[in-house]
Amino acid sequence: MTRLITCLLFASSLHLSAQSQGSYIIPDSVQRIAFLGNSITYAGQYVSYIEACLKLTYPNRKFEVINVGLPSETVSGLSEPNHADGKFPRPDLRERLDRVLEQTQPELVFASYGMNDGIYLPFDDSRFQAYKEGINWLHEEVSKSGAVIIHLTPPVFDERKGAAYANVLDIYSDWLISNRYTKGWSVADVHGPMKKHLEDRRLIDPDFKYASDGVHPDKAGHWIMAKAILAYLELNELARADTASNGEKILQLIEERQSIMKDAWLTATGHTRPGMNEGIPLSEANLKARAIEVIIQKLIE
């Protein structure tokens, strides 16, 4: 893990080509950035890595990175008949998106959907259509709010846990990428780099994996996700040399703040998924976040 953090905070290059997947430069006017998604986004390591990079690359800019990922969520509106042992159906983003956009007021939105949207079954055209309709709806709603949306292809599903569903996410990812050319969308490819890295590592270590369950990547998997997104943002210079000694501490503080704020935001904006942590009131959470930010800024300076 230490080596992973070191790579993130001190490397001079991402070793990924942004040119190969298009790119998006974050405008100077952008301050509030929201991340939408499911349990992988809620876990949030890749979100924290990206915030750390932004913080170290642009120390004078005041970014607010808001994680509003919700475990189990889909954009397709689909759910397995016995999801969560019949306790609750998968949440549908349609139920909460308006509230999230109204309360968070982002200028830039990253959206990561697809992993849950095929509901872990072999490819079916009707499920694929529901996913496409959901993504199109999401794009329109975010655009209408005045924010820019960057779609993320879904993280890889480990084919050793099911080759048929791994193929489903290959198809969903290919379709999402095609919208760069057919609709002019901003799409950062997470799926492709994760799949290639997984295949390459298994040539050396056949037992290598991101996720024991095939779905939820460990921190190494989140790091590959973050690298792909940072490459898309053309953030190849990760940190100034004079912040190197504090880099790991800065990342830890960002993770601490994200942990507080994501539950506060989910509670404030509301959702239908049971079993989530009850967040503290946003006013209290913001006070804690500002206190942490003071420490981060001192470490950067």
Side-chain angles (χ1 to χ4, degrees), residues 10-69:
F10 311 146
S12 63
S13 163
L14 290 170
H15 306 295
L16 289 171
S17 173
Q19 299 301 319
S20 66
Q21 58 170 331
S23 62
Y24 178 86
I25 307 299
I26 299 177
D28 292 343
S29 59
V30 168
Q31 290 185 318
R32 293 169 73 87
I33 302 172
F35 282 79
L36 286 165
N38 47 47
S39 57
I40 297 172
T41 296
Y42 177 79
Q45 286 95 344
Y46 82 90
V47 178
S48 293
Y49 291 150
I50 290 168
E51 183 177 358
C53 178
L54 291 172
K55 185 73 65 178
L56 292 167
T57 307
Y58 303 112
N60 297 319
R61 291 180 64 174
K62 305 299 182 184
F63 290 109
E64 182 176 1
V65 178
I66 301 169
N67 184 344
V68 278

Side-chain angles (χ1 to χ4, degrees), residues 10 22 33-34 49 58 67 117 120 125 144 155 175 225 234 248 257 259 278 280 294:
F10 311 146
I33 302 172
Y49 291 150
Y58 303 112
N67 184 344
D117 289 276
Y120 300 93
D125 195 62
K144 283 194 298 186
W175 172 79
M225 293 176 65
E234 294 193 10
E248 185 170 344
R257 181 173 60 191
S259 180
E278 184 73 19
I280 61 177
V294 169

Side-chain angles (χ1 to χ4, degrees), residues 62-292:
K62 305 299 182 184
F63 290 109
E64 182 176 1
V65 178
I66 301 169
N67 184 344
V68 278
L70 181 65
S72 306
E73 189 168 69
T74 74
V75 74
S76 63
L78 302 176
S79 185
E80 304 92 322
N82 195 39
H83 175 255
D85 297 323
K87 296 175 184 176
F88 60 91
R90 290 188 178 278
D92 184 345
L93 178 62
R94 290 171 178 82
E95 187 278 327
R96 70 183 182 110
L97 181 62
D98 285 347
R99 299 191 303 274
V100 169
L101 293 176
E102 181 180 354
Q103 293 187 45
T104 62
Q105 294 288 306
E107 291 110 5
L108 178 62
V109 173
F110 289 88
S112 177
Y113 289 95
M115 178 61 80
N116 296 333
D117 289 276
I119 59 174
Y120 300 93
L121 293 173
F123 182 80
D124 173 81
D125 195 62
S126 63
R127 287 191 286 271
F128 186 31
Q129 186 63 30
Y131 172 66
K132 291 190 287 187
E133 289 175 357
I135 291 291
N136 284 323
W137 164 82
L138 170 59
H139 189 95
E140 291 174 6
E141 292 300 305
V142 173
S143 297
K144 283 194 298 186
S145 77
V148 170
I149 181 169
I150 297 177
H151 297 276
L152 307 179
T153 57
V156 72
F157 181 82
D158 194 332
E159 63 178 9
R160 292 183 179 176
K161 294 293 183 176
Y165 199 65
N167 182 62
V168 167
L169 294 192
D170 289 345
I171 294 169
Y172 285 17
S173 296
D174 288 346
W175 172 79
L176 200 51
I177 290 171
S178 75
N179 285 282
R180 291 177 183 162
Y181 314 106
T182 60
K183 299 178 181 178
W185 287 6
S186 295
V187 180
D189 184 19
V190 169
H191 186 86
M194 287 190 77
K195 184 175 181 178
K196 184 179 187 306
H197 185 259
L198 182 61
E199 291 170 346
D200 289 348
R201 284 296 304 271
R202 281 183 171 165
L203 292 174
I204 303 169
D205 177 7
D207 296 325
F208 178 81
K209 59 183 179 295
Y210 294 130
S212 297
D213 62 359
V215 177
H216 300 94
D218 58 13
K219 289 189 175 183
H222 277 263
W223 160 231
I224 300 301
M225 293 176 65
K227 283 212 303 183
I229 297 165
L230 292 170
Y232 186 77
L233 299 175
E234 294 193 10
L235 294 178
N236 294 323
E237 297 297 327
L238 294 188
R240 299 175 304 165
D242 61 345
T243 63
S245 61
N246 294 323
E248 185 170 344
K249 180 60 176 176
I250 289 168
L251 178 58
Q252 291 172 349
L253 288 166
I254 286 171
E255 290 175 331
E256 178 185 346
R257 181 173 60 191
Q258 283 288 346
S259 180
I260 295 167
M261 293 303 301
K262 67 184 180 184
D263 288 333
W265 275 116
L266 281 180
T267 298
T269 55
H271 58 83
T272 62
R273 192 194 189 285
M276 295 301 295
N277 296 331
E278 184 73 19
I280 61 177
L282 265 181
S283 57
E284 183 180 343
N286 281 323
L287 287 175
K288 291 178 178 289
R290 284 195 287 271
I292 293 172

